[in-house]
Amino acid sequence: MNVAPTSKAKSSGFGTGDRRQTLKKAKINPKRLYLRAIRDAFVKLHPRYAIKNPVMFLVWLGTLVTLVFTIAPNLVGPAQENNPQLFNGLLTGILFLTVWLANFAEALAEGGGKAQAEALRAKKSETIAKKLANDGTISEVPSMSLRENDTVYLVAGDIIPADGQVIMGVASVDESAITGETVPILKESGSDVAGSVIGSTRVISDELIVRITSDPDKGFIDQMIALLEGKERSQTPNEITLTVLLAVLSLVSLLVVITLPALAYYVESPVSVTILIALLVALIPTTIAGLLSAIGIAGMDRVAQFNIIATSGRAVEACGDVNTLILDKTGTITLGNRLAEELIPVNGHSLEEMAHIALAASIFDDTPEGKSILRLAQSLGAQFDFDPNQAVGVEFSEDTRMSGTNLSGGREARKGAVGAIREFIRLRNGEAPPELNAVYKRISQQGGTPLAVCLDAEIYGVIYLKDIIKPGIRERFGQLRRMGISTIMLTGDNQITAAVIAHAAGVNEFIAEATPEEKVSVIHREQAAGKVVAMTGDGTNDAPALAKANVGVVMNTGTQAAKEAANIIDLDSDPTKLIDIVSIGQQLRITRGVLTIFSLANHIGKYFALIPFIFTAANLQSLNIMNLSSANSAVLSTLIYNALTIPALIPLALRGVQLKYLTANQLLQRHLLIYGLGGVIAPFIAIKLIDMLIATTGWV
């Protein structure tokens, strides 16, 4: 009776501050990480990679052109007289370094995910599985030979060979290979949630028969590895929009540079091709272009550090805009499967009579709730006085809201929602006992679920199913409220029970007696009001709503259908983990914005460094407010600063800007002051210092 709730509580993610999370604690060797990033940065120089970033591809092409002029400095005649081979060579090296550093930033961001993927891949193991044939015989086969719908037999100590669904048995399973949670999780047949098992986890007690639900290399761990390695990463809408904007700015800069030779010829101040390329690179937004991909990858990596798997950056980005969070109750707000706490007889019946009918109505109910009713009834002395082989089970449905058994002789034992049982006996000319309402209200007001039990037209009593709210969830919902996110709880429970649970959990709104269709309609309603909706759930009946929501968050304890419909999987099964995801989404968006501001603000200093020396005949030296030593030094100093800005900002791109929960106007003012003004001032100081160093060394 106490095993299931204990296991659920431990796996819920609350109060487990010392958990050893596989993803979060994956050991990453910094030296190996940097060496791999250095290698991958060279690999990304290949044209098929370089062309994916239009801005940096322009720099890549410029590097090739300056290389040609380094080899043949007099290729275009007199215009090159003031640009010796050494200058062209230095320019080529700086441009190459700019491209390589942008590649390095992206490779370094990817490195964390790849390291975590390797940690997970190490958890995968090729095992020998006990395949169960239709005739009941068992044969040992390699786990890689198993296919969807195959059946395997597992005993204590066995590694689960692939993702599957428990179809028989009850056992404790160690899932620490996936979640890092050292407390075993109870798995049993008949449960929509607790019956799902993951490949490479270990059975540590009892026995299970599992139906395989995934083919080799298509399991949950394989999906996680692919996501962490970035194999399925695509640009988010905001990232695509910013990439297009940067490409347009670069095109405008290119058109400006192309027209300069004619203008320079007119003022009798010819400009060399290499100087024009240097000017182009200084004009285009290379800083943000070089870091844009790294920002997105790092955001996905930070999500994984919270023991969350996001199927796309789009989902993480959408989290930053979430206004409404819709939650299922059971397994999300409460610990999971409700258990029979008490049998309350009514209508003058004894407890033993009530237990007998409850047992008869539950004999074919293979859910954890049904099994708990059987255990409680048998502990009270109830016994079978009928032949189960002559009885027929009646499954629960959303329409009837009851289940039970058709006994021999035409008798009908039923258990279900009080209203449904009332209607059932009314159609058989029965009447509900007067004390039924009082029992119904008492259980509901305690936050429990009342199930009425009847035989034919007579109600025998009420089963008290107890729900346990996850510890700390009220405080977490309060934090969501402070972040401007409203919470809506959907449950199939009656109004009174739903109201009690909603009040205890601290949700903003609740909808009782909700059907799967109603969950989807609530999402439609919120989206029609212009809100971004997140839905959390874990059951198969949550799948349509998870698919419809802007962000679908499924618990790791959820069913395969729910996981396929969602775009975020929480390995800790903590419904309020959305707080962390929202923070990461907001941080991702803000980081991208402030680095764009800084990159564009940098251009002011670059213009003052280069323009006075490009049109020397126009006597623009009054604009040389930095007092740079020469034209060549100004060009090299500007491009060196341009290149070094990328590695200087890599830590910020990977870590993200520290979140400050301020109003939109306050955030704008703060970022303009720090990154806008800072972006204007920084190049003036840095370019002058580099110019002084170049003048001292006598490079040019």
Side-chain angles (χ1 to χ4, degrees):
M1 290 287 290
N2 294 327
V3 176
T6 300
S7 297
K8 286 288 181 183
K10 291 295 185 182
S11 66
S12 68
F14 293 100
T16 52
D18 59 344
R19 58 188 298 114
R20 297 192 297 271
Q21 298 171 348
T22 298
L23 292 181
K24 190 173 182 180
K25 303 289 187 177
K27 291 183 179 179
I28 300 175
N29 186 324
K31 182 178 180 181
R32 184 180 178 187
L33 188 66
Y34 281 104
L35 288 175
R36 179 161 56 185
I38 291 171
R39 180 201 65 195
D40 290 348
F42 283 103
V43 173
K44 290 176 182 291
L45 291 171
H46 192 285
R48 77 168 179 268
Y49 295 114
I51 202 169
K52 293 179 181 179
N53 189 330
V55 177
M56 299 311 299
F57 187 62
L58 271 179
V59 183
W60 185 88
L61 291 175
T63 306
L64 294 182
V65 174
T66 56
L67 178 62
V68 170
F69 284 107
T70 300
I71 298 171
N74 297 317
L75 190 63
V76 291
Q80 283 292 118
E81 288 178 0
N82 294 326
N83 296 283
Q85 195 168 18
L86 174 61
F87 173 78
N88 290 343
L90 290 172
L91 194 59
T92 301
I94 296 169
L95 294 183
F96 174 82
L97 183 65
T98 303
V99 178
W100 184 87
L101 286 172
N103 292 343
F104 176 76
E106 183 179 35
L108 192 61
E110 292 173 343
K114 289 179 179 178
Q116 291 174 334
E118 288 176 2
L120 280 175
R121 189 176 283 110
K123 301 292 182 181
K124 285 189 64 178
S125 54
E126 173 68 18
T127 62
I128 299 299
K130 302 181 182 73
K131 186 177 179 180
L132 193 62
N134 292 333
D135 60 3
T137 59
I138 296 176
S139 57
E140 293 189 346
V141 299
S143 59
M144 291 299 291
S145 68
L146 294 173
R147 294 295 182 271
E148 187 176 356
N149 293 321
D150 283 346
T151 305
V152 295
Y153 171 66
L154 298 160
V155 298
D158 285 350
I159 299 293
I160 297 174
D163 295 358
Q165 190 74 24
V166 177
I167 59 176
M168 189 176 295
V170 179
S172 294
V173 175
D174 176 12
E175 293 189 343
S176 59
I178 307 300
T179 66
E181 177 58 70
T182 56
V183 177
I185 309 300
L186 189 71
K187 300 292 181 180
E188 56 185 326
S189 62
S191 171
D192 203 27
V193 174
S196 178
V197 295
I198 303 173
S200 298
T201 57
R202 182 186 296 273
V203 179
I204 61 174
S205 72
D206 303 301
E207 303 175 351
L208 292 175
I209 294 179
V210 173
R211 184 180 68 251
I212 302 301
T213 57
S214 66
D215 290 334
D217 296 326
K218 293 184 180 179
F220 184 57
I221 289 184
D222 301 293
Q223 295 174 33
M224 290 165 61
I225 290 172
L227 291 167
L228 286 168
E229 289 181 329
K231 293 177 181 177
E232 300 178 21
R233 182 184 181 272
S234 57
Q235 287 186 317
T236 65
N238 286 347
E239 200 172 342
I240 293 171
T241 302
L242 185 53
T243 300
V244 172
L245 174 62
L246 297 179
V248 170
L249 291 176
S250 299
L251 181 60
V252 171
S253 299
L254 180 62
L255 293 175
V256 170
V257 170
I258 288 174
T259 61
L260 282 181
L263 182 61
Y265 180 79
Y266 178 77
V267 298
E268 298 181 351
S269 180
V271 183
S272 69
V273 173
T274 52
I275 291 292
L276 289 174
I277 290 172
L279 179 61
L280 174 63
V281 172
L283 287 175
I284 61 179
T286 53
T287 302
I288 182 59
L291 295 171
L292 185 59
S293 180
I295 294 169
I297 296 169
M300 294 287 286
D301 185 49
R302 285 198 297 278
V303 167
Q305 305 240 346
F306 281 92
N307 254 18
I308 299 167
I309 296 297
T311 60
S312 68
R314 183 191 300 264
V316 178
E317 198 168 78
C319 282
D321 300 316
V322 165
N323 310 108
T324 302
L325 171 60
I326 298 175
L327 307 101
D328 183 44
K329 187 205 75 174
T330 305
T332 305
I333 292 176
T334 60
L335 289 178
N337 300 310
R338 298 168 296 190
L339 300 178
E341 179 75 11
E342 185 182 359
L343 300 183
I344 305 170
V346 297
N347 208 18
H349 292 289
S350 67
L351 181 59
E352 186 176 348
E353 289 176 316
M354 158 67 178
H356 176 76
I357 303 305
L359 183 142
S362 305
I363 185 62
F364 291 102
D365 187 347
D366 200 33
T367 66
E369 292 176 5
K371 291 176 181 177
S372 73
I373 294 170
L374 281 177
R375 289 193 294 267
L376 181 57
Q378 288 173 329
S379 71
L380 295 172
Q383 296 180 352
F384 297 107
D385 62 353
F386 59 91
D387 184 0
N389 294 323
Q390 299 298 317
V392 178
V394 178
E395 292 187 2
F396 175 86
S397 73
E398 295 285 350
D399 294 329
T400 64
R401 299 179 64 213
M402 69 174 73
S403 63
T405 307
N406 290 335
L407 304 170
S408 58
R411 308 202 74 185
E412 298 173 306
R414 295 289 187 272
K415 71 176 192 303
V418 173
I421 296 297
R422 281 180 188 274
E423 182 65 17
F424 179 82
I425 66 168
R426 187 188 66 80
L427 295 174
R428 288 155 182 77
N429 299 317
E431 292 185 4
E435 69 266 35
L436 181 63
N437 274 342
V439 175
Y440 166 84
K441 289 182 179 179
R442 177 166 65 84
I443 294 174
S444 298
Q445 288 168 355
Q446 292 174 354
T449 301
L451 294 183
V453 176
C454 71
L455 179 64
D456 297 328
E458 186 173 5
I459 294 179
Y460 276 67
V462 180
I463 302 170
Y464 172 17
L465 294 180
K466 188 173 184 180
D467 266 318
I468 301 175
I469 296 176
K470 292 182 176 179
I473 201 164
R474 185 178 181 86
E475 291 74 18
R476 298 281 277 176
F477 284 153
Q479 189 175 349
L480 282 172
R481 197 158 41 248
R482 289 190 293 274
M483 294 171 69
I485 299 172
S486 63
T487 50
I488 302 174
M489 182 186 79
L490 299 180
T491 176
D493 286 340
N494 62 72
Q495 287 285 342
I496 299 175
T497 299
V500 172
I501 296 293
H503 176 73
V507 297
N508 296 91
E509 181 185 346
F510 71 90
I511 297 176
E513 300 177 354
T515 63
E517 294 77 16
E518 209 162 358
K519 294 178 182 180
V520 175
S521 68
V522 172
I523 292 174
H524 274 293
R525 181 196 75 189
E526 293 295 308
Q527 290 175 334
K531 297 180 180 179
V532 178
V533 180
M535 165 79 187
T536 68
D538 55 8
T540 300
N541 63 346
D542 294 325
L546 288 168
K548 179 61 182 173
N550 302 90
V551 179
V553 184
V554 67
M555 305 297 103
N556 185 39
T557 54
T559 62
Q560 189 65 27
K563 288 177 180 176
E564 290 174 359
N567 45 28
I568 291 179
I569 300 171
D570 174 21
L571 299 181
D572 294 334
S573 299
D574 176 355
T576 60
K577 189 69 73 65
L578 187 69
I579 293 173
D580 301 316
I581 310 173
V582 167
S583 297
I584 293 170
Q586 292 177 344
Q587 188 181 49
L588 186 65
R589 186 179 55 197
I590 292 172
T591 301
R592 193 184 293 129
V594 298
L595 289 183
T596 301
I597 292 172
F598 184 85
S599 179
L600 297 179
N602 267 205
H603 290 319
I604 297 175
K606 295 174 187 177
Y607 297 154
F608 276 98
L610 293 178
I611 297 300
F613 293 99
I614 291 178
F615 301 108
T616 53
N619 194 22
L620 299 176
Q621 287 303 309
S622 59
L623 296 178
N624 183 18
I625 59 177
M626 284 186 266
N627 195 28
L628 301 181
S629 57
S630 68
N632 287 352
S633 178
V635 169
L636 292 180
S637 299
T638 302
L639 292 188
I640 289 172
Y641 168 78
N642 195 60
L644 294 182
T645 304
I646 295 175
L649 293 176
I650 286 178
L652 182 63
L654 299 186
R655 184 182 64 251
V657 175
Q658 185 178 2
L659 280 182
K660 298 285 186 182
Y661 292 104
L662 306 172
T663 65
N665 286 337
Q666 289 173 327
L667 278 176
L668 180 61
Q669 292 172 7
R670 181 176 187 272
H671 293 153
L672 286 177
L673 180 64
I674 297 175
Y675 298 97
L677 185 60
V680 172
I681 295 173
F684 282 94
I685 298 172
I687 290 173
K688 177 58 181 177
L689 291 175
I690 296 171
D691 173 74
M692 292 170 60
L693 179 63
I694 291 175
T696 302
T697 55
W699 287 353
V700 292

